[in-house]
Amino acid sequence: MTRFLNDDFLLDTAEARHLFHEVARDLPIIDYHNHLPPAEIAKDQRWDELGTLWLGHDHYKWRLMRWAGVEERLITGDADPRDKFNAFARVMPKLVANPVHHWSHLELWRYFGLDGTVLSTETADRIWDAAKERLAEPGYGAQGLLSQMKVELVGTTDDPLDSLEHHAALKDAPWRVVPTFRPDPAMKIDAPGFAAWIARLEELTHPIASFDDLIGALEKRLDHFVAHGCRAADHGIDRLDAGPEVPAAVLDAALDAGRTGRAVSGEDAAAWRAALLVALGRAYAKRDLVMQLHVNALRSNRTRLRESLGPDVGADSPRDISLAEPLNTLLDRLDRDGTLPRSVLYGLDTTRNAAIVTTAGNFQDGSIPGKIQAGTAWWFNDQLDGMEDQMRTLAQMGLISTFLGMLTDSRSFLSFPRHEYFRRLFCRIVGRWQVEGHVPDDQDAMDELVRDVCYRNARDWFL
């Protein structure tokens, strides 16, 4: 029997073992999209126990704990952190075959020296004590955890209204923590909080009475982000639709309705979202920023959880609606006048991988390799089958050699072994290609491919 998560985990050929151990293992990490709190990085947040650090922000774990029958008090409630940890330890044996089972053990082993120890009720005390002892050591604050994993860049996810004071405090850090412009509230013209958010934007910039005023205000905030090292923007688009191109007067009327609490029709809201994406895409291109589009998530589906805990708590699903037509329409509107920025396209519905890859291919213009990226397997898909399917589709319908590789998309400071998980899988894929004769007998070329996908492509885009 092969030992669980052994040193050659996933590496089923000699070629794969060479690629991982000799090439990929020790490469630095460019984590260009995550949700780590910049305030905690800036103050070098410390934790004196594993329960809060491990379970405090991780809705992947929360979702599975509920599924295994754990009451909410022991997940997000007011229970003691040790009791929450014990609850997670109790259900860990039930999580086999889920990536959280792999990730959790890689985190325990890589950060806390617990190699070979499997979390369960029987081992919980030993793991808790070992982690507590390590967390008391120097180098186990937020900044030390980044350094341990050789993280070179962290791209946080930030509201345009953010002061970015914490990013400013980190400007001389040995690794870069850069803001990512996330203007989702401006897109949600038909949402309850739209008017209040626009009012706050107005206070920071200038009066906003028209769509053009709004774009000018957002560009002012975008320049504030660029001054603080911003490399990218990001849009969480729950429903990507090809809203009609409409006159400015229609957009101005929609803005007035959204600000005064009047209903905005579905067609006008779609036109608003489309116009805003195009205007912002042009602003990104002008500043050579990367535009990331995370599309087709069906969020916050359980009313009781949403009302008691808010969004992002583990009640989301892929949205299984058409993607190819609206995505091509959006990119084409930007490409018509040469203002399509470098872009990364992420879809949550695995059946849309071919649509995303072929759409990316439609808009390559020869300016830089892989200008439009089919982004890495996102959220529910960053497990072994999901990542392999995304990379197989990219390799066969596009160019795997220009791929930006992995990111954590995580709120946890312990999530960086996910890069190791990805690298092991990619090395397995390339190793199998070598064994099966799918690629030339050129080891140097395969070594370079692994370096590019696991590190250098992302480094060149974001650093």
Side-chain angles (χ1 to χ4, degrees):
M1 180 180 293
T2 303
R3 184 174 65 86
F4 174 59
L5 289 181
N6 65 85
D7 201 41
D8 291 332
F9 174 61
L10 298 181
L11 309 175
D12 56 359
T13 64
E15 289 78 3
R17 290 188 286 275
H18 161 79
L19 289 169
F20 178 74
H21 293 302
E22 304 300 325
V23 180
R25 179 197 286 272
D26 295 323
L27 291 172
I29 288 174
I30 306 294
D31 203 60
Y32 51 93
H33 174 70
N34 66 51
H35 297 273
L36 293 179
E40 293 186 3
I41 305 175
K43 69 181 181 181
D44 197 18
Q45 172 80 30
R46 296 196 67 97
W47 300 266
D48 59 8
E49 40 79 17
L50 184 56
T52 301
L53 170 60
W54 216 20
L55 301 170
H57 300 293
D58 196 335
H59 59 76
Y60 285 86
K61 294 186 176 78
W62 299 348
R63 182 180 176 93
L64 294 180
M65 291 173 76
R66 294 182 192 115
W67 204 324
V70 177
E71 61 180 305
E72 197 65 33
R73 185 182 68 85
L74 292 168
I75 303 172
T76 63
D78 59 1
D80 184 83
R82 179 62 195 271
D83 293 334
K84 293 180 179 180
F85 172 80
N86 286 344
F88 187 57
R90 185 171 67 253
V91 304
M92 177 60 80
K94 301 178 181 180
L95 307 188
V96 292
N98 188 285
V100 170
H101 191 265
H102 287 151
W103 297 342
S104 298
H105 287 99
L106 288 174
E107 290 161 10
L108 289 175
W109 299 5
R110 299 299 180 258
Y111 288 102
F112 301 110
L114 290 161
D115 295 40
T117 303
V118 177
L119 179 61
S120 67
T121 299
E122 290 72 27
T123 61
D125 287 346
R126 177 156 58 91
I127 289 172
W128 177 271
D129 292 342
K132 189 175 183 65
E133 185 175 332
R134 280 291 178 92
L135 289 170
E137 296 177 4
Y140 270 81
Q143 297 181 14
L145 294 175
L146 297 179
S147 295
Q148 285 187 47
M149 291 292 113
K150 299 178 68 173
V151 176
E152 286 191 348
L153 179 134
V154 170
T156 60
T157 304
D158 308 279
D159 191 293
L161 306 182
D162 199 302
S163 69
L164 305 182
E165 61 189 281
H166 304 299
H167 295 87
L170 289 162
K171 63 182 178 63
D172 297 322
W175 18 254
R176 302 302 305 273
V177 178
V178 298
T180 301
F181 191 74
R182 180 82 174 236
D184 291 1
M187 304 289 294
K188 299 176 181 178
I189 192 169
D190 47 358
F194 176 79
W197 191 87
I198 296 295
R200 291 178 59 205
L201 176 63
E202 198 171 47
E203 292 172 2
L204 289 172
T205 56
H206 57 231
I208 299 172
S210 68
F211 181 78
D212 286 344
D213 290 340
L214 173 63
I215 297 304
L218 288 170
E219 289 200 45
K220 285 184 178 180
R221 297 308 297 167
L222 187 58
D223 288 335
H224 173 67
F225 272 58
V226 171
H228 285 78
C230 176
R231 266 70 166 167
D234 183 42
H235 293 264
I237 303 171
D238 296 346
R239 178 190 293 271
L240 184 64
D241 43 33
E245 295 180 278
V246 299
V250 174
L251 300 173
D252 294 346
L255 174 63
D256 184 65
R259 295 202 68 179
T260 56
R262 304 196 315 275
V264 179
S265 71
E267 184 177 11
D268 284 352
W272 173 272
R273 291 190 293 269
L276 195 54
L277 277 171
V278 169
L280 286 172
R282 289 172 177 152
Y284 305 149
K286 182 178 179 181
R287 294 160 177 80
D288 192 27
L289 299 178
V290 176
M291 178 173 71
Q292 299 178 94
L293 303 179
H294 286 86
V295 298
N296 283 9
L298 188 64
R299 299 176 186 269
S300 301
N301 296 292
R302 187 175 170 202
T303 301
R304 280 197 295 149
L305 275 183
R306 183 179 67 250
E307 291 179 347
S308 61
L309 300 175
D312 304 319
V313 296
D316 311 295
S317 300
R319 187 186 294 270
D320 52 346
I321 61 173
S322 177
L323 175 62
E325 184 174 358
L327 186 57
N328 275 276
T329 297
L330 168 65
L331 299 185
D332 186 59
R333 287 176 183 172
L334 287 163
D335 187 64
R336 288 177 202 166
D337 58 4
T339 57
L340 177 60
R342 290 180 294 150
S343 301
V344 189
L345 315 175
Y346 311 88
L348 197 53
D349 181 351
T350 57
T351 68
R352 305 295 193 248
N353 283 341
I356 289 174
V357 170
T358 55
T359 298
N362 292 341
F363 294 95
Q364 307 297 345
D365 62 10
S367 59
I368 62 169
K371 176 181 175 179
I372 310 301
Q373 289 276 327
T376 191
W378 172 41
W379 198 344
F380 293 113
N381 304 323
D382 61 355
Q383 26 77 9
L384 297 178
D385 289 346
M387 289 190 289
E388 184 165 8
D389 183 63
Q390 186 271 341
M391 287 189 279
R392 184 189 307 111
T393 304
L394 177 55
Q396 295 181 6
M397 295 185 176
L399 289 184
I400 192 74
S401 57
T402 64
F403 182 36
L404 294 179
M406 186 57 170
L407 48 82
T408 63
D409 193 23
S410 174
R411 292 162 174 79
S412 170
F413 282 93
L414 297 182
S415 65
F416 290 95
R418 294 184 196 178
H419 282 265
E420 175 187 336
Y421 199 64
F422 169 88
R423 291 170 177 181
R424 286 178 177 274
L425 175 61
F426 185 59
C427 290
R428 182 177 78 176
I429 291 169
V430 177
R432 287 180 178 179
W433 289 346
Q434 291 181 278
V435 169
E436 295 167 1
H438 288 300
V439 295
D441 185 15
D442 184 341
Q443 190 62 55
D444 289 343
M446 295 304 102
D447 290 358
E448 292 302 290
L449 174 63
V450 167
R451 289 190 183 95
D452 285 343
V453 171
C454 293
Y455 169 62
R456 290 193 301 210
N457 290 342
R459 177 202 64 188
D460 294 347
W461 265 46
F462 295 97
L463 278 176

